[in-house]
């Protein structure tokens, strides 16, 4: 039987600390060869600006193969529709049975924040207490929850183009033990932060490397998976020790990296390593207290497989979701 798990059901099943642990394990498994993480496939035609991206992974620990179909359609904004939609299929590694079909919104949000938490655990200064957020939507809420699990965060400095979005964000994290400060501009967030998370669907850079102070760790998260979209300017990339989720992925669809390369600020060879290599102890992370580190988070299929295992098991245990006999 195949479980069909909707977004509303998945909201009740998601567990941030468990997801952080699962995503951390998945990153290490890629580095040690216990997981297969191919480069993504991006499908597009001249007839539209839409892209359909296939993100897959196969992991021994999860016992699963998984693939997510991500539809990235910027034009949906004008119609009042989500600009990104996705679905995840999970299959049993041994039998090939289709175990689950998941709406991708909740898993993507939670595992993305969990990946930033894993990167921050391994790359940020251990005493980091101020979290800076560029963007204040649902992904920002998830990042606060994730960072509290790995660092002694007591202050969140946040900026958004919309004051209403900031106030909604403040309300959604009011139960968490942090002080929230609304910054007047992006530079104010960058200069205040020990750990900075950029969470906007920017095309042009919103964060400038000239604002980076010694010891900063950056999680560059928000830009769409396109080689011409970025949040961090070339100077920011050049001033940072660069770490990525997957070299094959970022060289395919990370505008933050590719545009800095095209402008001659960095080369692909400047990447210090994949995050999984740091987790597995194969590559050193932060060099010292003044080192500026940056995790270029584009998203990989093994993150979806990792959280998919957790969500599927929770759904089976609780008996939720719709069961469908796909072979019937």
């Amino acid at each position: 039987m195949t479980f069909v798990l909707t977004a509303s059901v998945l909201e009740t099943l998601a567990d941030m600390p468990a997801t952080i642990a699962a995503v951390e394990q998945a990153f290490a498994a890629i580095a040690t060869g216990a997981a297969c993480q191919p480069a993504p496939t991006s499908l597009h035609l001249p007839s539209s600006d839409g892209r359909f991206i296939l993100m897959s992974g196969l992991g021994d620990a999860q016992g699963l193969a998984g693939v997510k179909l991500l539809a990235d359609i910027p034009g949906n904004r004008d119609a009042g529709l989500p600009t990104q939609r996705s679905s995840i299929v999970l299959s049993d590694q041994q039998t090939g049975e289709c175990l689950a079909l998941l709406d991708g919104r909740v898993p993507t949000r939670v595992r993305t924040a969990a990946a930033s938490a894993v990167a921050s655990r391994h790359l940020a200064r251990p005493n980091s207490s101020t979290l800076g957020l560029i963007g204040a939507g649902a992904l920002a809420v998830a990042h606060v929850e994730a960072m509290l699990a790995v660092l002694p965060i007591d202050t969140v400095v946040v900026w958004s183009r919309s004051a209403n979005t900031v106030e909604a964000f403040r309300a959604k994290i009011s139960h968490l033990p942090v002080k929230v400060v609304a910054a007047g501009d992006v530079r104010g967030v960058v200069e205040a932060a020990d750990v900075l998370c950029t969470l906007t669907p920017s095309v042009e850079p919103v964060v400038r490397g000239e604002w980076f102070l010694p010891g900063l760790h950056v999680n560059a998260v928000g830009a769409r998976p396109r080689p011409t979209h970025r949040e961090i300017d070339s100077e920011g990339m050049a001033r940072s020790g660069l770490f990525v989720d997957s070299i094959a992925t970022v060289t395919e669809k990370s505008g933050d990296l590719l545009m800095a390369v095209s402008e001659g600020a960095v080369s692909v060879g400047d990447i210090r390593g994949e995050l999984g290599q740091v987790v597995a102890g194969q590559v050193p992370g932060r060099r010292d207290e003044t080192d500026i580190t940056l995790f270029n988070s584009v998203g990989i299929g093994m993150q979806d497989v990792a959280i998919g295992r957790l969500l599927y098991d929770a759904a089976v245990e609780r008996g939720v979701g719709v069961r469908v006999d796909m072979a019937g």
Side-chain angles (χ1 to χ4, degrees):
M1 301 294 286
T2 301
F3 277 71
V4 178
L5 302 174
T6 63
S8 59
V9 169
L10 291 169
E11 287 282 10
T12 69
L13 301 177
D15 179 284
M16 184 61 78
T19 303
I20 292 170
V23 167
E24 185 171 50
Q25 189 279 332
F27 274 122
I30 296 169
T32 60
C36 176
Q37 179 55 70
T41 299
S42 181
L43 310 174
H44 56 97
L45 293 169
S47 56
S48 80
D49 191 33
R51 287 179 182 249
F52 292 83
I53 299 165
L54 297 170
M55 303 169 63
S56 57
L58 171 67
D60 278 337
Q62 298 79 16
L64 293 174
V67 62
K68 177 164 72 179
L69 176 60
L70 169 64
D72 180 55
I73 306 178
N76 272 0
R77 180 180 291 107
D78 296 334
L81 299 172
T83 58
Q84 289 192 338
R85 290 168 160 159
S86 60
S87 301
I88 301 169
V89 174
L90 301 175
S91 295
D92 185 278
Q93 181 182 2
Q94 298 301 320
T95 69
E97 178 187 4
C98 179
L99 298 179
L101 172 63
L102 291 67
D103 180 80
R105 181 175 24 170
V106 173
T108 300
R109 183 185 75 227
V110 176
R111 62 79 154 157
T112 299
S116 294
V118 173
S120 300
R121 172 185 277 162
H122 291 274
L123 299 174
R125 290 172 293 161
N127 62 348
S128 296
S129 61
T130 299
L131 174 63
L133 301 175
I134 309 300
L139 195 54
V141 174
H143 270 73
V144 176
E145 296 170 346
M147 291 300 166
L148 285 173
V150 298
L151 290 171
I153 299 297
D154 57 30
T155 303
V156 176
V157 182
V158 60
W159 175 88
S160 171
R161 288 185 175 89
S162 166
N164 290 338
T165 303
V166 171
E167 288 311 305
F169 165 80
R170 189 190 297 271
K172 288 175 182 175
I173 67 165
S174 60
H175 63 291
L176 298 174
V178 292
K179 174 186 176 183
V180 178
V181 178
D185 55 27
V186 173
R187 181 172 184 168
V189 178
V190 177
E191 294 183 342
D194 296 315
V195 174
L196 176 70
C197 300
T198 63
L199 309 171
T200 69
S202 294
V203 176
E204 299 295 332
V206 293
V207 171
R208 303 200 174 279
E210 65 185 80
W211 303 334
F212 290 1
L213 299 179
L216 177 67
H217 171 65
V218 182
N219 297 302
V221 179
R224 295 180 183 280
R226 295 170 180 241
T228 57
H229 291 205
R230 60 176 172 172
E231 296 179 291
I232 314 294
D233 71 356
S234 289
E235 183 177 352
M237 300 298 282
R239 291 193 63 202
S240 304
L242 301 179
F243 298 86
V244 301
D245 45 20
S246 162
I247 290 176
T249 298
V250 298
T251 53
E252 170 72 22
K253 60 179 186 175
S254 170
D256 287 295
L257 175 69
L258 294 173
M259 295 189 75
V261 170
S262 71
E263 292 174 3
V266 299
S267 70
V268 173
D270 291 326
I271 296 171
R272 291 191 193 173
E274 295 183 346
L275 180 56
Q277 294 174 307
V278 179
V279 174
Q282 299 173 351
V283 168
R286 168 172 292 276
R287 291 173 176 168
D288 54 45
E289 286 286 303
T290 64
D291 198 12
I292 298 171
T293 54
L294 186 148
F295 173 54
N296 192 179
S297 176
V298 183
I300 54 176
M302 274 307 301
Q303 295 172 351
D304 299 312
V305 172
I307 192 172
R309 179 81 259 177
L310 298 178
L311 294 169
Y312 172 75
D313 288 346
V316 172
E317 180 181 346
R318 300 185 195 181
V320 297
V322 177
R323 301 186 187 204
V324 178
D325 182 2
M326 301 290 279

